[in-house]
Amino acid sequence: MRSSLTLVGTLWAFLSLVTAVASSTSYFLPYWLFGSQLGKPVSFSTFRRCNYPVRGEGHSLIMVEECGRYASFSAIPSLAWQMCTVVTGAGCALLLLVALAAVLGCCMEELISRMMGRCMGAAQFVGGLLISSGCALYPLGWNSPEIMQTCGNVSNQFQLGTCRLGWAYYCAGGGAAAAMLICTWLSCFAGRNPKPVVLVESIIRNTNSYAMELDHCLKS
């Protein structure tokens, strides 16, 4: 089985898959922010939450200990987090598409050329930039009432209060940085240059085809 990637390209495909999976998994897991409410641990991502308060009997608040996404896009606590959800999701989708193509390039000959590899690296840079932008937007939503209730009512934009950032936030940012810096650079050397013999054979094949068509036209 021939590959369209160089040895560096194989390393690029592997790292592309790792960074895409790391960023996308972190995007879906609700462990970007940790805090507490009513004595129970609470965690958030951009569109998901673990443990939330509801009205019980006698109108008292009780904590439901389960994870889930917000009921609708508009229910996400702040505009910044809504933007973060869209931007980060788009970046993760782009990284996953490039990673899939890179893995296929390990199994298929002449799928990824040197120029194609560089174009895919540019797409990875854009995807990493989108995820990084989402991570930068995330602290802008820390002043929403829902987050303030979890962070001791002292949180604000870029001020966590009693909360702390979770491992998923760092994992998403690290995956984006690796995609932008390492994968983009490796992609420049990922694809193989077209073989001269293949180019000559292609030119001869096309020339013969044109000659046959010309001869047919002259005879008719």
Side-chain angles (χ1 to χ4, degrees), residues 29-42:
L29 292 178
Y31 303 124
W32 284 41
L33 185 68
F34 289 102
S36 63
Q37 189 173 358
L38 299 179
K40 300 291 184 179
V42 178

Side-chain angles (χ1 to χ4, degrees), residues 5-202:
L5 299 177
T6 62
L7 183 61
V8 175
T10 303
L11 176 61
W12 166 71
F14 173 74
L15 289 178
S16 296
L17 183 62
V18 170
T19 55
V21 170
S23 297
S24 301
T25 302
S26 301
Y27 172 66
F28 283 101
L29 292 178
Y31 303 124
W32 284 41
L33 185 68
F34 289 102
S36 63
Q37 189 173 358
L38 299 179
K40 300 291 184 179
V42 178
S43 60
F44 298 90
S45 65
T46 60
F47 64 97
R48 300 188 70 202
R49 170 175 178 158
C50 283
N51 303 344
Y52 53 91
V54 296
R55 292 286 180 182
E57 295 181 1
H59 301 288
S60 60
L61 287 175
I62 60 173
M63 292 295 292
V64 177
E65 299 186 43
E66 64 179 20
C67 298
R69 63 178 180 83
Y70 288 99
S72 63
F73 184 76
S74 59
I76 295 175
S78 67
L79 177 61
W81 280 23
Q82 293 174 357
M83 295 171 60
C84 180
T85 299
V86 174
V87 170
T88 306
C92 289
L94 195 54
L95 290 187
L96 284 172
L97 286 174
V98 174
L100 176 61
V103 171
L104 289 176
C106 295
C107 310
M108 300 176 64
E109 189 177 4
E110 298 180 15
L111 177 66
I112 300 176
S113 64
R114 183 63 60 88
M115 182 59 66
M116 177 62 71
R118 291 173 179 173
C119 292
M120 293 170 68
Q124 284 180 309
F125 185 86
V126 174
L129 186 62
L130 288 172
I131 297 174
S132 300
S133 300
C135 291
L137 286 168
Y138 193 66
L140 296 176
W142 294 348
N143 63 343
S144 65
E146 184 173 337
I147 307 305
M148 292 181 67
Q149 292 170 7
T150 306
C151 299
N153 290 313
V154 291
S155 65
N156 205 337
Q157 292 182 348
F158 298 98
Q159 296 180 9
L160 275 172
T162 59
C163 292
R164 60 183 176 86
L165 286 174
W167 61 266
Y169 178 84
Y170 293 111
C171 189
M180 291 175 63
L181 301 177
I182 301 176
C183 292
T184 299
W185 177 67
L186 290 177
S187 69
C188 297
F189 315 100
R192 297 182 185 274
N193 286 322
K195 297 179 181 179
V197 175
V198 175
L199 290 176
V200 171
E201 290 178 351
S202 177

